[in-house]
Amino acid sequence: MSSRISIARPQGPSYSPDPHGIGNSRPSSGYRAADPDDPLEKIRAYSKQIEDNVEIWSQPARPHLPAVGRFLIVVTFLEDSLRIVTQWSDQLWYLQKHRHFPWGISHTFLLLNVITMLVGSGAVIAKKQTEFAVAGLLAVVIIQGFGYGLIFDLNFFLRNLSVIGGLFMVFSDAMVSRKKLFAGLPSLSENDRRKYFLLAGRVLLIFLFLGFVLQGSWSFGRMILSIVGLAACTMVAVGFKAKWSASFLVIVLSVFNVFANNWWSVHSAHPARDFLKYDFFQTLSIVGGLILLVNMGPGGLSVDEKKKNF
C-alpha cells in the first residue's frame, strides 16, 4: 500500500543544484570571464590578461631590474662629479665670482661634493651601507641647490624632487634586505616606514613630468602627451596599476630624453651642451627610480595593495 503513496513536489521556483554559481564553467580570467553586457568587465578582463602576459615575458629581465635601477639613479651624480673634475677651474671661477665663495671654501665645497657623490654612488650600486649613501647624496642635492643658487629655479627644483624620489626608492629597496637582520624582532614598524618611503618616492618621482608640462611651447602632440602622461603620473602617485603606469613613463621619458636632450649632437663649445647633458642624466636617474618601482611594486599605501584586501 505504501507503494501507492506518491510524494507531491512542492510548488515554486525550479530546483538548482548549484544556486551560488560555484560550478560556473566560465574561465576565471580572460575575455570569456566577462559579462558580455558589461563593457567595464571586459576591459578589466583584457587588462588582467595583458598584465599576466607582461609578467610572463618580463621574467627573464626581472633579476636585473634592481641593479639597472640603482645604477641609473646614481648616474647623474657620477656625471656631475666628472663634470666638476674636468671643469675645475670654471667651477671655481663661478663660485668665487658669482656666488662670492671665499678662496679655499670654494675648493672645499667642490672637493666634498665630488668625494660624496663618488663614494655614495659606488655604495648604492654595490648595496653597501645604502642608508648612509642615500643620506650623503640627499645632502649633495640640497647643498648644490643653495651653493649654485638654483634652489628657486622651478625646473631645477622639480627635477631634483624627482631625483630625491629615486633615492627614496633606493632606500626602500634597501629596507627589504635589511629586515633579514632583525628576523627575531617585531618588524611592523620597519614595514610601516618602508610603506611611507615608497609613497614619498612614488609622489616625488612624478615631479619631473610636471616640470615638462609647465615649460616649453605647446602643440597638439605635446598636449596629448601631457594629458596621457599626467594620467600615468596620477596612477603612479596613488598606486593604481602602478607597474603599468611606471612602465609607460619609463618608455615615454626614455624616448623623450633621447630626442629632447640629445647633447651629443651639440658642439662641445656650445653653452647649451652642458645643460642638455645635465638634463639627460637627471632624466636617466628618474627612469631608474621608476624601474625600481616596477620591480618592487607600489607598497602598502596604494590602491593596488588595498584592492588585494577586498
Side-chain angles (χ1 to χ4, degrees), residues 88-109:
W88 185 263
S89 58
D90 293 336
Q91 296 283 330
L92 287 176
W93 177 84
Y94 177 81
L95 290 176
Q96 294 171 6
K97 181 73 174 179
H98 294 278
R99 301 301 301 161
H100 308 293
F101 274 53
W103 192 96
I105 300 296
S106 57
H107 296 71
T108 304
F109 175 82

Side-chain angles (χ1 to χ4, degrees), residues 276-291:
L276 290 174
K277 195 174 182 181
Y278 176 78
D279 288 348
F280 178 84
F281 283 101
Q282 272 211 323
T283 304
L284 281 184
S285 293
I286 295 148
V287 168
L290 291 168
I291 289 175

